Amino acid sequence: MREALAGWLGPAEWQAVALSLQVSFWATLASLPLGIFVAYALARWSFPGKQLLNGLVHLPLILPPVVTGYLLLIVFGRRGSVGQFLEQWFGIVLSFRWTGAAVAAAVMAFPLMVRAIRLAIEAVDPKLEAAASTLGASRPFVFATVTLPLVLPGIVAGAILAFAKAMGEFGATITFVSNIPGETQTIPSAIYAFLQVPGGQEAAGRLVIVAIVIAMAALLLSEFVARRVAKLVAGS
């Protein structure tokens, strides 16, 4: 299948597709543990600043993506407070690198992930967790043995939706890491670049088809996997 796709797409187009998959995979994988933690905190805990945290989590959905990308550049750029620290102490540079594109995609997809997981956690009867606690189980043990299996369909759905969102991220990515072929040029930025040159419409059209296919496949896979996991959990 890869050979057929590579034959249909040009080298630059295939490079953009491969980079998009790489960026989206790592963006989803790296943000998933934090997404589960934040979703659980918002669903189960009461603490000062809870509404502020909820607002910050969903802020990327409200802000223009370019604004989010600019904020990432200020914070994680080479002159930013966090960016300077990462470069000086760990040799990690995010701005104008594919790793920065993964960070931008993760930030933009994070609200969708958290919302899906939070709704799944809120659907779990707290009495089940309370019953396990009264038997002497610790909170982490209750989460791992009671809550996590029940919310697994929501986690899977949230992760896949976040992956699909990361695949389509454009504004924050191009602002934070620019549009460098082979380094930061994902499918959306490649489409934009092709549309800026004469005769690039055909290549842009092929990438649009690829983007639609991947997005639809992700949505269908999300529904299928969530239902399969739900059946497995119900039957166990």
Side-chain angles (χ1 to χ4, degrees):
M1 180 179 179
R2 177 172 176 171
E3 289 75 10
L5 184 61
W8 181 55
L9 299 175
E13 301 158 46
W14 170 248
Q15 201 171 45
V17 173
L19 183 61
S20 290
L21 293 172
Q22 177 181 337
V23 165
S24 300
F25 172 79
W26 286 110
T28 303
L29 185 64
S31 60
L32 187 58
L34 180 61
I36 296 173
F37 176 79
V38 172
Y40 185 84
L42 292 175
R44 287 289 189 261
W45 297 347
S46 295
F47 54 90
K50 180 178 179 178
Q51 293 305 318
L52 177 61
L53 175 61
N54 185 53
L56 290 175
V57 167
H58 291 87
L59 198 59
L61 291 179
I62 304 171
L63 286 176
V66 174
V67 174
T68 302
Y70 178 69
L71 293 175
L72 289 173
L73 188 60
I74 292 177
V75 176
F76 292 102
R78 288 191 167 183
R79 296 184 180 179
S81 55
V82 178
Q84 283 185 338
F85 174 79
L86 292 175
E87 184 176 6
Q88 290 175 1
W89 290 93
F90 302 101
I92 299 175
V93 178
L94 297 176
S95 57
F96 308 107
R97 303 286 177 87
W98 77 265
T99 49
V103 170
V107 170
M108 296 301 296
F110 194 70
L112 295 179
M113 176 189 292
V114 170
R115 183 167 182 82
I117 299 174
R118 179 183 179 180
L119 290 175
I121 295 174
E122 290 176 342
V124 175
D125 190 350
K127 294 179 180 178
L128 297 175
E129 298 169 324
S133 298
T134 57
L135 296 175
S138 63
R139 181 172 292 180
F141 185 80
V142 171
F143 176 80
T145 59
V146 178
T147 311
L148 187 60
L150 294 176
V151 303
L152 193 55
I155 293 175
V156 173
I160 296 177
L161 287 176
F163 179 88
K165 172 63 177 176
M167 285 287 296
E169 168 50 33
F170 174 69
T173 301
I174 200 170
T175 305
F176 181 37
V177 297
S178 189
N179 187 6
I180 306 171
E183 182 64 36
T184 65
Q185 189 176 79
T186 57
I187 291 177
S189 54
I191 293 173
Y192 174 80
F194 281 126
L195 290 176
Q196 304 308 305
V197 298
Q201 290 83 356
E202 185 176 347
R206 288 194 293 266
L207 287 178
V208 167
I209 294 174
V210 172
I212 293 173
V213 170
I214 293 176
M216 287 300 300
L219 291 174
L220 294 175
L221 181 62
S222 173
E223 291 291 329
F224 174 76
V225 173
R227 290 179 182 178
R228 290 284 296 179
V229 173
K231 288 182 180 179
L232 292 174
V233 171
S236 58

